[in-house]
Structure formats: structure tokens, C-alpha cells
Amino acid sequence: MTTITTLFSDPELYSLLIKKDREGFDYLYDKYCGLLYGLTLQSSCLKEYSDEIIELTFINIYNSIHLFQNQEIKLNIWMISVLIKTTKDYLDSKNISYTFINGNFPLFSFKLPEEKTVPVHHYLVPAL
């Protein structure tokens, strides 16, 4: 991961990405990877799949950036929709059944039938 030194607006970033500019893609990854990775973990608790889903999501963003043209939404919102589609495609490709639960966007989750509820333990810390 590189350090972001230049700030790009969505139209500037789109212009770089449509040209397949490496600086634009590096910027996109650095700026949005944390957001998308966090949403992936939050949405499914599929830690073992999250890295692959994020990698596929950025490949899909790179390959389909031309579809963002003239969108009335912000780039990050479009990227979340790509993440959701990528996650669905990934789970389907692994023959993993799921129920997609759409909350107040951008909140969403994938419930897997084999998921077990993990109890949350509260530990009391003794006073010193």
C-alpha cells in the first residue's frame, strides 16, 4: 500500500481510472480498501473469504469503471454496489447458500444458514 499524497475528486479519479492509469488505481485502493474491507467483515463475518472478495471487488471495479460514467451517485456508493454483487457472485461460485439482507444502505448483510450465533462475553475487569 502506498501513501496518498495527491487528492483527487471523483471526476478526476474517474478520468484516471478510465485511462487505466496506475496512479489512479493505487489512489482508489488506498482510499477505499479500508471502507470496503470493513463492510465485508461487518456484512458476513466471513473472515476467511474477505481477502479474496476484496481482491475480486477491486478487479471488478477496474474492469467495469466505464459503467460508472454519468452516474448520479458518488463513486464510493457505486463501489459498495460492486462489492455487494461481487460477494453474491463469490458465494454463488462456492455453492454457499445465503440470504441477502438489505438494511438502510450502505448497511447490508449476508446470512449464511450454517452460521451459529456466537455469544458475546462480557468480562468484568477488577478494580485495582
Side-chain angles (χ1 to χ4, degrees):
M1 189 184 309
T2 59
T3 303
I4 297 175
T5 56
T6 305
L7 297 178
F8 297 108
S9 66
D10 279 0
E12 291 169 329
L13 182 55
Y14 172 78
S15 179
L16 291 172
L17 294 172
I18 204 73
K19 296 174 190 171
K20 305 295 186 191
D21 181 272
R22 178 63 188 225
E23 181 185 12
F25 189 75
D26 288 346
Y27 178 86
L28 178 85
Y29 184 86
D30 289 346
K31 185 172 180 182
Y32 293 109
C33 184
L35 168 72
L36 296 179
Y37 192 74
L39 286 172
T40 301
L41 290 175
Q42 175 186 320
S43 71
S44 62
C45 299
L46 297 174
K47 174 73 173 116
E48 64 269 23
Y49 304 135
S50 294
D51 291 339
E52 195 170 353
I53 289 171
I54 289 301
E55 181 180 334
L56 292 169
T57 298
F58 276 97
I59 290 169
N60 289 339
I61 289 167
Y62 183 81
N63 290 332
S64 63
I65 191 64
H66 62 281
L67 298 175
F68 180 71
Q69 184 177 15
N70 297 323
Q71 291 283 335
E72 295 295 322
I73 58 174
K74 293 225 162 257
L75 182 61
N76 61 340
I77 300 299
W78 178 78
M79 290 172 50
I80 292 169
S81 68
V82 173
L83 170 66
I84 292 169
K85 181 176 181 344
T86 301
T87 304
K88 288 177 177 181
D89 291 346
Y90 180 83
L91 294 173
D92 289 341
S93 75
K94 300 288 185 188
N95 293 318
I96 300 171
S97 61
Y98 62 88
T99 302
F100 177 70
I101 302 167
N102 191 5
N104 290 329
F105 190 82
L107 300 177
F108 59 90
S109 63
F110 290 88
K111 180 160 178 49
L112 307 180
E114 62 272 7
E115 280 185 349
K116 294 183 174 71
T117 303
V118 179
V120 176
H121 298 284
H122 298 280
Y123 296 99
L124 296 176
V125 178
L128 298 176

